[in-house]
Amino acid sequence: MTAPGKVYLIGAGPGDPGLISLRAVELLGRADAVLYDYLVNPVVLRHCRPDTQQISLGKHGSGRLWTQTQINAQMVELAQQGATVVRLKSGDPLIFGRASEELEFLSRHGIPFEIVPGITAAIAAAAYAGIPLTQRDTASAVALIAGQEDAEKSETSLDYAALARFPGTLAFYMGVTTVGHWTRQLIAAGKPADTPVAVLRRVSLPDQTRIQTTLAEVADVVARERLRPPVVFLIGPAAAQTDWAWFERRPLFGRRILVTRPAEQTDDLARPLAELGAEVLVQPVVEIRPLPADVAIPFSERELRQFDWLVFSSRNGVRCFFDALAGRGLDIRAVGQARLAAIGPGTAEELTRYHLRADLVPSTYQAENLAEALAHEAAGQRFLLVRASRGRDVLAQMLAAAGGQVTQQVVYESRDVPAADPEMVAQLRAGRIHWTTVTSSAIARGLVRLFGEGLRRTRLVSISPLTSAVLAELGFAPA
């Protein structure tokens, strides 16, 4: 008989994928199956193994929505098969997450479990809005309140008179559709109508919105703005604080930026853009495929040692070359005393991952400048140019013209992505993407092939004069 697996109830936090705990990341990496709610940011699923079964529990108004009974049964069935199961919830699993029903069901069936806390929405809302939930003078307590109770209850569990007297901040969850009811009840119980209210939607995400209002006006605000969940309402004197609203003040807040680099390089650009406040969308335009080790490095160790210079024109070239070297059973000693040239600081930084330092990086990051920097001592020198399957030959031509002995070696294929994500096509056509990044000539050509006239509805930002020239040649000059 198969020993039962284990179920982990994990809080994924409010939305920002960076707010998930280290313990949660560890367990996602071990999970055989993950059952996740629609409010969970799908980016956190990147922590799963490729073979992990990922089960979406549905979205309101879009397809099948799992019932709690079905969720309970699925967890137990998977665990009884010996699987490691993650039940992934937004926020914290024990705060308005129906965890008690799941824990009772798991216990009844003898399934071991562990609970991993997450950052609940009210705590995140306060932090991302710069609102101190507690203040020495005005807020000595915090109450987390369900704005929508179980429809099967015969009467409310909420004591509005006690809430009206509460000496601190009230945080209402799930209160959008019932906002008229609970605001009236609070005012009728004696809560001042002018009590400050901060309405926070999609907390910690790049499109977070905040509305300042009062208890008397909040229901009208929700109706006028047609607000939809997820929304948290913070009520009390502390909710009036706006001086510390750091999140919306970041320089790229409200900007939607499309990153088009190969998947392996996306984070290097997407992460700093996101930290500056941008909503980052990703659509790789080319894909990188390393060649087999014996194809990427067809040289013997003796032949490798004969080169005076190894010249790298991209991060991908560095990574694929040294990975192929390891695949051949060799290490950096195989390159002997060869000096290293990198086309730019990003490529030079990639070399440091292999404990190597570039001997030469040109002041302007393109092939002509790299060739000029090497040309003064090129005569009689042996150069190994590590490159992609496509690209210009200008570097090889200029070094050869300067008297160098040049060998070009392709270590990876650069291929066009065959089709764009339909959602990205729609976003571009609708003019909802403010900026689109273009980081190589190949990406420039691929963008035009994939999106065509849709690129007229966005602003193109180019990495270099060469890439800009290719864009202009194609009729899409960069902004």
Side-chain angles (χ1 to χ4, degrees):
M1 181 176 178
T2 303
K6 188 171 182 177
V7 174
Y8 296 89
L9 273 65
I10 294 177
D16 182 344
L19 296 181
I20 195 166
S21 70
L22 291 175
R23 178 61 173 162
V25 169
E26 175 192 351
L27 294 171
L28 284 169
R30 287 163 43 186
D32 299 308
V34 177
L35 289 74
Y36 63 97
D37 294 337
Y38 83 95
L39 286 177
V40 170
N41 191 327
V43 173
V44 304
L45 298 175
R46 293 180 182 177
H47 300 299
C48 299
R49 302 191 314 264
D51 62 340
T52 298
Q53 183 181 6
Q54 298 179 9
I55 303 171
S56 171
L57 300 178
K59 181 176 181 179
H60 292 285
S62 177
R64 173 188 174 222
L65 190 66
W66 288 48
T67 66
Q68 189 62 55
T69 299
Q70 291 171 325
I71 295 169
N72 293 347
Q74 181 70 84
M75 285 192 300
V76 167
E77 179 182 341
L78 289 166
Q80 287 176 337
Q81 295 169 1
T84 296
V85 181
V86 164
R87 172 70 176 97
L88 193 61
K89 300 168 179 282
S90 64
D92 181 275
L94 299 183
I95 298 180
F96 305 127
R98 301 188 72 170
S100 59
E101 298 168 58
E102 296 175 356
L103 294 171
E104 190 279 330
F105 198 79
L106 293 171
S107 298
R108 192 193 320 157
H109 287 82
I111 304 298
F113 60 82
E114 178 182 321
I115 304 169
V116 180
I119 298 174
T120 190
I123 303 299
Y128 278 70
I131 295 173
L133 286 178
T134 62
Q135 289 180 319
R136 293 179 65 183
D137 298 330
T138 59
S140 299
V142 180
L144 309 182
I145 306 155
Q148 183 170 326
E149 296 184 84
D150 189 340
E152 296 181 3
K153 282 184 178 180
S154 58
E155 59 183 31
T156 181
S157 301
L158 298 178
D159 182 343
Y160 283 98
L163 291 174
R165 297 190 306 271
F166 190 76
T169 306
L170 305 177
F172 272 81
Y173 291 61
M174 305 170 294
V176 171
T177 59
T178 59
V179 62
H181 170 74
W182 56 260
T183 53
R184 286 193 301 270
Q185 293 292 323
L186 283 172
I187 293 170
K191 193 77 171 171
D194 62 353
T195 301
V197 177
V199 184
L200 294 143
R201 183 174 186 273
R202 288 180 59 80
V203 169
S204 80
L205 293 169
D207 58 345
Q208 172 179 303
T209 56
R210 169 183 179 154
I211 302 173
Q212 290 295 134
T213 184
T214 64
L215 192 59
E217 298 172 348
V218 65
D220 290 338
V221 167
V222 168
R224 182 174 66 249
E225 300 294 330
R226 298 182 178 179
L227 293 182
R228 294 291 180 266
V231 173
V232 176
F233 301 86
L234 301 182
I235 302 162
Q241 176 59 255
T242 59
D243 292 344
W244 305 324
W246 62 274
F247 190 67
E248 298 97 329
R249 293 173 183 167
R250 294 177 301 165
L252 292 179
F253 185 79
R255 302 285 92 187
R256 187 176 288 116
I257 299 176
L258 181 62
V259 171
T260 58
R261 302 179 85 177
E264 301 84 356
Q265 297 174 271
T266 295
D267 284 351
D268 291 341
L269 183 54
R271 187 179 298 109
L273 289 172
E275 289 189 359
L276 289 168
E279 178 182 357
V280 180
L281 306 178
V282 174
Q283 171 61 73
V285 171
V286 298
E287 56 186 14
I288 301 303
R289 296 194 178 181
L291 295 179
D294 58 340
V295 177
I297 301 182
F299 313 103
S300 67
E301 188 170 355
R302 182 183 61 81
E303 290 170 325
L304 277 172
R305 289 179 179 274
Q306 292 177 355
F307 292 107
D308 300 297
W309 283 92
L310 299 184
V311 183
F312 297 94
S313 54
S314 71
R315 284 178 176 264
N316 291 319
V318 173
R319 186 178 68 253
C320 293
F321 178 85
F322 286 104
D323 288 353
L325 199 66
R328 286 279 311 276
L330 303 172
D331 58 28
I332 59 175
R333 291 172 295 183
V335 302
Q337 298 300 310
R339 287 182 284 177
L340 307 175
I343 198 167
T347 304
E349 181 185 10
E350 191 71 17
L351 283 168
T352 66
R353 293 185 56 229
Y354 298 89
H355 309 288
L356 296 168
R357 180 180 58 82
D359 296 287
L360 187 148
V361 182
S363 56
T364 302
Y365 316 135
Q366 59 185 45
E368 288 85 349
N369 297 86
L370 179 57
E372 289 172 4
L374 289 166
H376 72 279
E377 57 177 292
Q381 295 283 291
R382 290 158 298 189
F383 294 88
L384 177 62
L385 307 189
V386 178
R387 57 170 297 170
S389 58
R390 59 182 174 184
R392 300 185 303 151
D393 287 327
V394 62
L395 180 57
Q397 292 168 357
M398 291 180 67
L399 288 175
Q405 300 175 32
V406 179
T407 300
Q408 299 193 67
Q409 182 57 46
V410 173
V411 295
Y412 66 93
E413 289 184 302
S414 172
R415 298 183 180 182
D416 293 329
V417 170
D421 182 338
E423 174 63 22
M424 299 306 163
V425 174
Q427 294 257 23
L428 272 172
R429 286 178 178 170
R432 291 196 291 266
I433 295 177
H434 301 100
W435 289 96
T436 297
T437 65
V438 193
T439 53
S440 74
S441 299
I443 288 174
R445 295 186 180 91
L447 271 173
V448 174
R449 177 181 54 82
L450 287 178
F451 295 109
E453 291 300 306
L455 295 175
R456 308 245 181 242
R457 305 296 305 278
T458 185
R459 302 179 77 192
L460 300 175
V461 53
S462 166
I463 198 171
S464 70
L466 176 62
T467 302
S468 297
V470 171
L471 283 169
E473 177 187 326
L474 295 169
F476 293 88

